[in-house]
Amino acid sequence: MTLPALAVTLLIVITLGYVGVCAAAPFGRCRKCRGFGFAMKTDRKGRAKRGKHCRRCDGHGIHIRRGRHLWNLWARTYRNGNR
């Protein structure tokens, strides 16, 4: 197998894997708060405590994946175009 064919095959496998992840689990953990919904802080003794409310995920700890967001936009446009 030549190098370009291997690269194309690998790209297709990665893309189909991401499509499968977006279909099976459309929501992922928030990168800013790591899925907690708030920032973790430490007090002066070094113990972990709850910090501020996460603004990126609005305290839910999850966000919609980019691939699923693009799919939702495409599906909405397709539905509106076929009315």
Side-chain angles (χ1 to χ4, degrees):
M1 195 171 221
T2 64
L3 189 59
L6 183 63
V8 168
T9 305
L10 185 63
L11 187 64
I12 289 172
V13 168
I14 289 172
T15 303
L16 290 177
Y18 185 68
V19 167
V21 167
C22 288
F27 295 97
R29 290 183 8 192
C30 178
R31 292 185 305 271
K32 186 173 183 181
C33 64
R34 293 188 218 109
F36 287 122
F38 52 87
M40 292 298 290
K41 295 175 103 177
T42 56
D43 60 4
R44 291 191 295 174
K45 294 181 180 180
R47 292 183 297 215
K49 69 176 199 170
R50 184 183 177 118
K52 286 184 171 181
H53 182 76
C54 181
R55 294 187 309 179
R56 177 180 276 177
C57 65
D58 196 29
H60 296 290
I62 56 174
H63 72 282
I64 192 159
R65 295 183 194 273
R66 286 191 180 132
R68 184 59 182 216
H69 179 70
L70 291 173
W71 173 262
N72 289 347
L73 288 175
W74 178 83
R76 186 178 309 124
T77 303
Y78 183 79
R79 275 194 310 268
N80 290 338
N82 284 331
R83 284 188 187 181

